[in-house]
């Protein structure tokens, strides 16, 4: 679930807000080892080396960054457009991209970007600071789904001259550089309609590829952009084919119809494909997280308003068991709302409770006044379609884990997504399962929307703590990342103590490719870069 109740569809990851304005403290994990092939892969003909075919079950919503707000469409945009900043491939480190450099003035309220002087759109039209100003103000005016990423922070944007762009912010924002790496800040070609959403526009922006063909829900064809300022893509032509479901995508990679299968195969398919010769399965942590909300708002009269009850539930949950039984190991145990691989992440829940600590759970329940004769009764809500086929299993496994204490009785309840969202807003669910995907790569996006008083109204105001509010406010304006990390670490410790939201698992990026394809750089930013792909000799 997203801010403003906008749901964003992705696998995973990592909507993992990781880098903020500086280098990460933890590197991305390496892909799984290449499986041993029992036969020699087919030699790739020279003409084939110019093309790589990618199969997906995702869909493009609209090719307009003023309204597109799903991560697959954002992935495409990151290959045919670009922003002032970007994440260095394979890392969570921000670096200048369409900008050469930048200055921060007036205590972080003003940002000045100095653009490259060789920026051109795919058709050769020069791209200047005026195009940035036009594009960003267009996002603000159209007020589409992702516009808050601009309007919540930017007071004004001005082209000082052809190569200088000035942002005046409403207040200092420590992670503003991360925001400028998102599509709402990308300059778009002048052909885009100025005052309305242009969903089928293929003119693109400034990026390594250009769109030469798009048949909605069928095929997208990209070719290397000869007017791109940077290094030429390693593969001249990328074809993206859209499949109806995971089963047909799996058949496509097995038959060789596609060279890469991506977004999204089922866990059971991944396990099977790991055994196939000539294929390689990549798995790295991603930014999607799953969590359990325990409504602690005393207004609703739920037993979860008792901190001892929430702590007992946190102690009883066994994430390793969830990972293995529900996700077949394709999602990893998570012990904080701040994902693994992101700076400031600490395993706060593991430090405090361990994992599946039934004895501790029993002790806490006894302190709260419960026993085997007087059981805690919990209503656990889940939604059957929004998070995929595994959701029912997740709810059932949690029920089993909690009832293993002998002091908890769980009643499972479900509702379709629209009703579920309405129930959440009204605080009508005692315990409920949700997921989160990142808007921007920063710990703030994994803390403030959940824990800051008022910001969590989309969850029915389940939690409020003045100390947490103060820490989050300090972290949002602090420019020193080490100091910011200290604030977020303290927030995570308080979260584990109060346990209003219990992290469960973190999704990982999973991709299957022919083993003679190189240049696959998956990392927790969730950005799949087509321009680094190539056929190995």
């Amino acid at each position: 679930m997203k801010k403003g109740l906008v749901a964003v569809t992705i696998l995973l990851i990592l909507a993992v807000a990781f880098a903020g304005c500086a280098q990460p403290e933890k590197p991305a994990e390496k892909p799984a080892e290449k499986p041993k092939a029992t036969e020699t892969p087919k030699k790739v003909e020279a003409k084939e080396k110019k093309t790589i075919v990618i199969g997906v079950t995702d869909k493009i919503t609209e090719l307009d960054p003023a309204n597109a707000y799903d991560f697959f469409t954002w992935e495409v945009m990151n290959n045919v457009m670009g922003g002032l900043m970007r994440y260095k491939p394979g890392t969570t480190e921000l670096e200048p991209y369409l900008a050469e450099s930048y200055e921060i003035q007036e205590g972080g309220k003003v940002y000045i970007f100095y653009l490259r002087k060789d920026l051109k759109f795919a058709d050769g039209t020069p791209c200047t600071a005026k195009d940035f100003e036009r594009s960003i103000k267009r996002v603000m005016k159209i007020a589409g789904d992702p516009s808050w990423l601009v309007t919540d922070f930017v007071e004004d944007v001005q082209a000082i001259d052809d190569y200088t762009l000035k942002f005046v912010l409403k207040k200092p924002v420590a992670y503003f550089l991360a925001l400028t790496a998102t599509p709402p800040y990308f300059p778009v070609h002048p052909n885009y309609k100025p005052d309305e959403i242009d969903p089928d526009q293929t003119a693109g922006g400034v990026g390594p590829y250009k769109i030469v063909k798009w048949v909605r829900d069928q095929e997208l064809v990209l070719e290397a952009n000869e007017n791109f300022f940077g290094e030429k893509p390693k593969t001249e032509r990328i074809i993206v084919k859209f499949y109806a479901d995971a089963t047909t995508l799996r058949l496509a990679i097995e038959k060789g119809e596609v060279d890469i299968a991506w977004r999204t195969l089922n866990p059971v398919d991944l396990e099977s494909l790991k055994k196939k010769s000539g294929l390689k399965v990549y798995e790295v942590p991603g930014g999607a997280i799953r969590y359990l909300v325990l409504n602690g708002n005393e207004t609703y009269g739920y037993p979860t308003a008792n901190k001892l009850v929430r702590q007992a539930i946190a102690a009883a949950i066994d994430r390793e068991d969830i990972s293995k039984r529900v996700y077949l190991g394709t999602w990893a145990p998570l012990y904080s709302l701040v994902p693994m691989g992101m700076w400031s992440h600490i395993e706060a829940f593991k430090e405090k409770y361990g994992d599946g600590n039934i004895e501790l759970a029993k002790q806490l329940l006894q302190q709260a006044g419960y026993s085997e004769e007087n059981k805690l009764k919990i209503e656990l809500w889940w939604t059957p379609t929004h998070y995929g086929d595994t959701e029912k299993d997740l709810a059932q496994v949690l029920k089993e884990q909690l009832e293993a204490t002998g002091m908890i009785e769980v009643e499972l309840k479900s509702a379709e997504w629209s009703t579920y969202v309405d129930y959440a807003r009204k605080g009508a669910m005692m315990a409920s399962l949700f997921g989160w995907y990142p808007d921007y790569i920063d710990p703030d996006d994994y803390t403030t929307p959940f824990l800051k008083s008022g910001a969590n109204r989309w969850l029915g105001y389940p939690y409020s703590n003045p100390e947490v509010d103060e820490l989050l406010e300090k972290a949002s304006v602090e420019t020193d990342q080490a100091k910011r990390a200290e604030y977020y670490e303290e927030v995570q410790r308080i979260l584990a103590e109060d346990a209003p939201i219990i992290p469960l698992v973190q999704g990982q990026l999973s991709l299957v490719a022919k083993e003679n394809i190189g240049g696959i750089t998956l990392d927790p930013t969730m950005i799949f870069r087509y321009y680094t792909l190539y056929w190995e000799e």
Side-chain angles (χ1 to χ4, degrees):
M1 186 162 179
K2 305 298 297 172
K3 284 180 183 173
L5 299 176
V6 178
V8 180
T9 55
I10 67 172
L11 304 175
L12 57 148
I13 268 235
L14 192 232
V16 193
F18 305 98
C21 305
Q23 297 187 13
E25 296 181 354
K26 296 183 181 179
E29 292 187 12
K30 295 181 179 180
E33 292 295 323
K34 183 183 292 186
K36 295 181 179 179
T38 56
E39 59 187 49
T40 304
K42 183 189 77 172
K43 184 178 179 181
V44 181
E45 299 296 331
K47 62 180 181 181
E48 292 179 325
K49 290 184 178 180
K50 295 182 179 180
T51 301
I52 287 178
V53 181
I54 301 171
V56 300
T57 60
D58 257 319
K59 299 292 187 291
I60 291 173
T61 52
E62 49 227 345
L63 290 168
D64 188 342
N67 201 51
Y69 199 24
D70 65 281
F71 273 95
F72 178 68
T73 305
W74 277 24
E75 172 183 301
V76 172
M77 289 178 177
N78 272 280
N79 284 281
V80 301
M81 302 181 184
L84 295 162
M85 304 290 291
R86 74 166 183 176
Y87 291 98
K88 187 176 180 180
T91 77
T92 55
E93 176 186 348
L94 280 168
E95 64 179 5
Y97 190 37
L98 302 191
E100 287 185 331
S101 61
Y102 60 88
E103 292 180 10
I104 304 174
Q105 300 176 356
E106 297 184 25
K109 194 173 180 181
V110 172
Y111 281 71
I112 307 292
F113 289 89
Y114 301 98
L115 306 183
R116 297 179 60 96
K117 296 180 174 60
D118 53 357
L119 300 180
K120 294 181 180 181
F121 294 107
D123 65 354
T125 301
C127 176
T128 69
K130 293 181 177 62
D131 292 292
F132 280 85
E133 178 184 337
R134 169 182 56 80
S135 300
I136 294 168
K137 286 185 174 178
R138 176 178 178 271
V139 168
M140 300 170 79
K141 184 175 183 179
I142 290 175
D145 288 346
S147 63
W148 71 270
L149 290 163
V150 179
T151 57
D152 276 15
F153 307 99
V154 176
E155 183 71 39
D156 193 21
V157 56
Q158 305 167 6
I160 304 302
D161 56 41
D162 282 351
Y163 306 109
T164 308
L165 187 68
K166 177 181 179 180
F167 287 92
V168 178
L169 306 186
K170 294 179 178 179
K171 67 176 183 179
V173 181
Y175 44 86
F176 183 68
L177 291 179
L179 295 175
T180 68
T182 65
Y185 288 82
F186 291 0
V188 296
H189 193 281
N191 283 356
Y192 275 79
K193 297 175 182 178
D195 302 322
E196 59 184 287
I197 299 165
D198 203 352
D200 299 315
Q201 179 60 255
T202 58
V206 179
Y209 282 106
K210 61 182 179 180
I211 300 172
V212 296
K213 180 182 179 182
W214 181 39
V215 181
R216 184 176 286 276
D217 298 345
Q218 295 183 34
E219 185 178 67
L220 174 73
V221 180
L222 309 179
E223 289 183 356
N225 176 11
E226 63 272 17
N227 289 306
F228 182 57
F229 66 87
E231 182 181 352
K232 183 179 178 181
K234 295 183 183 296
T235 298
E236 183 177 313
R237 187 179 179 91
I238 298 291
I239 298 175
V240 181
K241 292 186 176 181
F242 301 93
Y243 289 85
D245 51 45
T247 300
T248 52
L249 177 57
R250 174 183 170 173
L251 289 173
I253 188 69
E254 289 181 323
K255 292 179 179 179
E257 293 176 5
V258 300
D259 305 311
I260 296 173
W262 168 239
R263 304 173 67 95
T264 305
L265 291 167
N266 291 325
V268 66
D269 294 329
L270 291 168
E271 290 304 305
S272 176
L273 290 171
K274 287 178 181 178
K275 303 171 186 176
K276 296 285 185 180
S277 63
L279 297 177
K280 182 176 179 179
V281 176
Y282 292 80
E283 297 175 314
V284 297
I289 65 172
R290 300 304 314 281
Y291 53 91
L292 174 65
V293 179
L294 301 177
N295 200 318
N297 191 326
E298 294 183 356
T299 303
Y300 305 114
Y302 297 136
T304 47
N306 186 335
K307 184 168 75 171
L308 289 169
V309 167
R310 300 195 301 268
Q311 290 179 332
I313 292 172
I317 291 173
D318 186 338
R319 295 163 184 78
E320 291 283 355
D321 184 44
I322 291 172
S323 175
K324 292 174 183 176
R325 293 173 60 195
V326 178
Y327 300 102
L328 303 182
T330 60
W331 287 60
L334 180 64
Y335 302 93
S336 172
L337 285 178
V338 177
M340 294 176 288
M342 180 182 292
W343 61 271
S344 84
H345 166 85
I346 60 172
E347 299 200 329
F349 276 78
K350 192 169 188 177
E351 293 170 5
K352 185 168 182 60
Y353 304 103
D355 209 26
N357 193 337
I358 297 297
E359 289 306 313
L360 176 58
K362 288 180 178 180
Q363 293 172 21
L364 291 164
L365 288 167
Q366 287 174 346
Q367 293 176 41
Y370 295 97
S371 65
E372 293 183 1
E373 292 73 30
N374 178 34
K375 293 185 178 182
L376 166 67
K377 294 183 179 181
I378 294 290
E379 290 181 355
L380 174 58
W381 287 82
W382 60 283
T383 186
T385 56
H386 186 72
Y387 295 112
D389 298 342
T390 56
E391 197 67 2
K392 183 177 182 179
D393 296 333
L394 174 57
Q396 183 60 43
V397 169
L398 281 171
K399 171 181 169 71
E400 292 175 13
Q401 292 179 355
L402 298 181
E403 291 185 342
T405 62
M407 299 183 187
I408 301 177
E409 181 180 310
V410 178
E411 180 183 2
L412 295 181
K413 293 191 173 185
S414 66
E416 287 295 341
W417 181 243
S418 59
T419 303
Y420 200 75
V421 168
D422 186 52
Y423 285 172
R425 288 172 176 155
K426 295 175 179 176
M429 297 185 289
M430 181 191 307
S432 52
L433 290 168
F434 278 98
W436 184 261
Y437 315 97
D439 295 310
Y440 45 93
I441 310 302
D442 190 88
D444 178 82
D445 197 43
Y446 286 86
T447 50
T448 293
F450 306 97
L451 305 176
K452 192 171 184 180
S453 300
N456 55 18
R457 58 187 178 275
W458 53 279
L459 287 174
Y461 302 97
Y463 179 71
S464 178
N465 184 326
E467 184 181 0
V468 170
D469 293 345
E470 183 180 357
L471 287 166
L472 291 173
E473 184 64 28
K474 287 180 178 179
S476 72
V477 298
E478 176 61 57
T479 57
D480 182 273
Q481 181 171 293
K483 188 64 178 177
R484 292 188 73 212
E486 291 178 9
Y487 292 139
Y488 288 122
E489 288 168 9
E490 184 59 25
V491 167
Q492 291 169 78
R493 293 187 184 97
I494 296 173
L495 169 64
E497 170 66 26
D498 291 349
I501 298 174
I502 301 174
L504 300 174
V505 288
Q506 178 175 336
Q508 63 182 20
L509 291 167
S510 301
L511 175 150
V512 181
K514 293 179 180 177
E515 63 177 2
N516 48 353
I517 289 181
I520 295 174
T521 55
L522 296 181
D523 57 54
T525 65
M526 305 191 308
I527 301 170
F528 185 28
R529 301 163 179 87
Y530 305 157
Y531 51 87
T532 63
L533 301 174
Y534 62 91
W535 287 103
E536 294 178 335
E537 297 296 332

